Amino acid sequence: MQAVPHALMHIDGKWIDSTAHYEIRNPATEELVATLAKGSTEHADQAVAAAKAAFEEGTWRDTPPSERAAVLRRAADRLAQRSNELVRLQVNENGAPVRLAEALHIGTSLAHLRYQAELAQRYLFERPSAMLAPVLAAALIRREPIGVCAAIVPWNFPLVHAAWKIAPALAAGNTIVLKPDERAPLTLVEIVRELEAAGLPPGVLNLITGDGPEVGGRLVEHPHVRKISFTGSTRVGHDVLRRASDDFRHLTLELGGKSANIVLEDADVQTAVDGALFACMAYSGQICAAGSRLLLPDTLHDAFVERLIARVKTLRISDPLDPLTDIGPLISREKRDHVLDCVSAARKQGARIACGGGVPSGARFTRGHWVEPTIITDVTPDMRIAQDEVFGPVLAVLRYRTVEEAIEIANGTDYGLAAGIWSRDNQAALDIAARLEAGAVWINDWYALPPHFPLGGCKQSGIGRESGDHALDEYTEEKAVSIDLSGGVEGKLYSLVLGAEAP
Ligand code: NAD
């Protein structure tokens, strides 16, 4: 067997192996890409202890924000120099088509590191205030780092999700234990390496691996972890929420979605067709904010679906490393089977598979985990395919008669991550956007993710926001410090309440 790289954990500045290993396999070919140390709850404990010691020792916390920002910037520069290598790692471990991996997986992550570095320099870690009545006092309102943060990320956009957590957490002076999904850890090993090479002290950023329920669960419950930032499924998010709330930990949850894409009657149809496909089929639908429900007005429905199907047939399903590829594989055999089960359940509930619905034919697709881009029509809002997250290249098309009905359908799921509106009338679209229960609404676009946009969801899509101008707020705790300048007790609350006199 050809030798493949072996990836390690990183605890207290040292690279650590384990007796157990994972295999990382290319989702397009099932070839072995790398092996990975498989961590345990003991490794989780060691990593938390290292992060706690580094926080208490204070070197990073007390480093001036401008120098912390410089470390983030240097790391971004170092990663940018290796971007081709990172793109290749990403494509090989999670099957992202190469153009998507360049633009989103790597490009977005680096932009975010740089933007948070810039924000850290102008963030008000401390602002003066004054209390003029009843007595003169000076006050400082401080935003202080929280302490040890656990960052748990999924396999679909590991570097993006890690950067959304790591950059503001480090900029604010926290220490971190990062836990990737065992299927896609390789780019995260590199971000840790480059941050330390850029000047991050040992113990500030630790990386551990291991099975989610066991090792992720240990982080969530660990009494020394003061902030948990979790990105993953709503099912696991529920569990994290329950366990983190026991002792009032800070929490950010970025969870699943079933985002609605509403086409209005006056939309530019060709743009909306392309947009609807991009929203649902990019990365084979394995994106939390995928526009997996398409809401079409009765008047446009048939012609629109016809154009969609014609356009789907032009998509190239192939090797994700080929720059001409539009659609690559799914992450695993289990996920592929889940997607195919969702399609067959939709058929049983009375929906029509208008195109796709199976594994593509051809020798290339006998290995790897493939599903054809699939369009399902005759979907009603009560069907499972209109309610459940599929996380695959499956677009459920629903009809509506009035805009009121479209809004009701769009809001009629447990999720609230993203939504889209296609219209030539910006004001009408903005009015609808105001009524949609979603953390992001894209008008005549999808996946606009510049680093100054906050991202997150409402309802069962999560709690809190990542990225954006307020990302550091999520990794700091506000503290008011006041100094009495009056030199006496007169007029003070305690003398008023207790009637005490100065000795
Ligand atoms: P998952 O919830 O199974 O796993 C996510 C991470 O949590 C992994 O690192 C996993 O090892 C860990 N984990 C698993 N069980 C755990 C537990 N009991 N305690 C602590 N950690 C645990 O997610 P998945 O199905 O692999 O990923 C896809 C899901 O993630 C989809 O639902 C998708 O919508 C969601 N997602 C959301 C966002 C967002 O920003 N809202 C982004 C990407 C993915």
Side-chain angles (χ1 to χ4, degrees):
M1 192 175 66
Q2 197 192 341
V4 294
H6 180 58
L8 302 173
M9 296 179 282
H10 194 66
I11 300 176
D12 202 15
K14 296 176 208 66
W15 294 97
I16 309 275
D17 204 353
S18 155
T19 47
H21 294 164
Y22 290 113
E23 288 188 341
I24 301 168
R25 291 192 173 268
N26 184 325
T29 60
E30 299 180 51
E31 279 162 8
L32 191 64
V33 172
T35 50
L36 170 72
K38 178 178 178 180
S40 62
T41 51
E42 288 75 41
H43 292 111
D45 289 347
Q46 286 167 20
V48 173
K52 182 168 184 281
F55 187 72
E56 287 170 355
E57 187 269 333
T59 302
W60 182 246
R61 192 183 53 189
D62 297 338
T63 298
S66 60
E67 286 175 35
R68 295 201 295 255
V71 170
L72 289 178
R73 258 196 310 274
R74 276 199 298 276
D77 291 345
R78 296 178 67 92
L79 288 163
Q81 280 168 9
R82 299 177 56 201
S83 63
N84 288 343
E85 186 193 339
L86 293 172
V87 165
R88 210 178 166 83
L89 280 180
Q90 193 62 95
V91 175
N92 284 339
E93 72 177 358
N94 75 359
V98 67
R99 280 181 280 132
L100 182 82
E102 280 164 7
L104 262 180
H105 289 77
I106 309 305
T108 299
S109 311
L110 299 188
H112 184 75
L113 283 177
R114 293 196 168 107
Y115 188 69
Q116 290 300 324
E118 189 191 317
L119 282 185
Q121 283 182 285
R122 47 188 160 95
Y123 191 71
L124 285 178
F125 285 100
E126 187 172 281
R127 64 191 156 86
S129 181
M131 229 167 74
L132 297 174
V135 291
L136 181 64
L140 292 172
I141 311 299
R142 288 184 170 149
R143 292 210 74 108
E144 298 182 343
I146 296 170
V148 177
C149 303
I152 303 178
V153 297
W155 49 265
N156 63 342
F157 286 88
L159 201 56
V160 175
H161 294 301
W164 281 347
K165 300 176 196 318
I166 287 175
L170 291 180
N174 297 285
T175 59
I176 302 172
V177 180
L178 173 64
K179 199 209 83 62
D181 188 287
E182 65 279 6
R183 287 163 287 191
L186 300 178
T187 56
L188 300 190
V189 169
E190 299 312 320
I191 196 175
V192 171
R193 198 186 307 284
E194 296 304 354
L195 275 161
E196 285 204 354
L200 202 64
V204 173
L205 175 58
N206 306 275
L207 179 146
I208 53 157
T209 60
D211 290 348
E214 189 191 357
V215 173
R218 178 68 186 148
L219 287 180
V220 170
E221 283 182 345
H222 201 295
H224 295 154
V225 170
R226 296 307 314 154
K227 156 99 194 187
I228 298 153
S229 176
F230 171 85
T231 302
S233 61
T234 295
R235 181 184 61 79
V236 176
H238 273 291
D239 189 45
V240 172
L241 176 63
R242 261 194 309 275
R243 289 198 273 169
S245 61
D246 272 356
D247 53 0
F248 303 97
R249 251 81 69 69
H250 292 256
L251 188 63
T252 308
L253 294 174
E254 300 291 343
L255 309 175
K258 189 75 189 177
S259 299
N261 205 353
I262 306 173
V263 178
L264 298 188
E265 279 184 336
D266 71 342
D268 172 339
V269 170
Q270 193 51 51
T271 315
V273 165
D274 283 343
L277 279 186
F278 172 60
C280 183
M281 302 303 175
Y283 194 23
S284 300
Q286 302 174 110
I287 308 183
C288 51
S292 52
R293 290 184 297 153
L294 179 64
L295 276 52
L296 297 177
D298 263 340
T299 48
L300 288 185
H301 180 277
D302 293 355
F304 199 104
V305 168
E306 206 173 297
R307 284 173 85 156
L308 262 183
I309 293 171
R311 183 73 177 85
V312 164
K313 291 187 175 148
T314 68
L315 296 178
R316 187 178 149 101
I317 312 171
S318 190
D319 174 6
L321 270 176
D322 180 344
L324 296 177
T325 291
D326 299 305
I327 305 280
L330 298 191
I331 186 71
S332 66
R333 189 160 298 266
E334 297 74 48
K335 292 281 176 187
R336 183 204 66 181
D337 292 347
H338 168 72
V339 172
L340 295 176
D341 285 349
C342 291
V343 172
S344 96
R347 189 187 282 118
K348 281 191 199 129
Q349 281 200 300
R352 192 171 76 85
I353 314 307
C355 76
V359 175
S361 53
R364 151 173 302 286
F365 306 114
T366 54
R367 291 178 74 83
H369 321 299
W370 305 86
V371 174
E372 296 170 298
T374 301
I375 294 173
I376 306 189
T377 58
D378 298 2
V379 175
T380 53
D382 55 316
M383 290 181 184
R384 298 264 41 103
I385 197 69
Q387 293 291 326
D388 298 344
E389 185 182 48
V390 174
F391 228 56
V394 178
L395 181 60
V397 183
L398 295 97
R399 288 172 180 268
Y400 71 85
R401 277 167 306 221
T402 64
V403 168
E404 282 305 308
E405 192 189 1
I407 294 169
E408 195 181 320
I409 295 171
N411 289 339
T413 73
D414 291 338
Y415 297 108
L417 194 54
I421 303 164
W422 300 82
S423 170
R424 288 190 169 92
D425 182 341
N426 287 343
Q427 190 54 54
L430 284 169
D431 291 345
I432 294 170
R435 298 178 57 197
L436 294 176
E437 297 168 347
V441 180
W442 292 300
I443 297 172
N444 297 327
D445 198 4
W446 202 273
Y447 296 132
L449 298 170
H452 55 281
F453 273 24
L455 296 155
C458 40
K459 293 155 71 181
Q460 296 199 23
S461 289
I463 296 173
R465 295 291 179 268
E466 294 199 307
S467 181
D469 289 340
H470 300 283
L472 271 87
D473 293 354
E474 300 263 356
Y475 289 91
T476 50
E477 185 126 58
E478 214 163 24
K479 182 187 277 177
V481 181
S482 68
I483 312 169
D484 176 67
L485 300 174
S486 66
V489 294
E490 201 177 331
K492 279 190 181 162
L493 194 55
Y494 66 75
S495 66
L496 290 175
V497 172
L498 297 180
E501 287 186 10

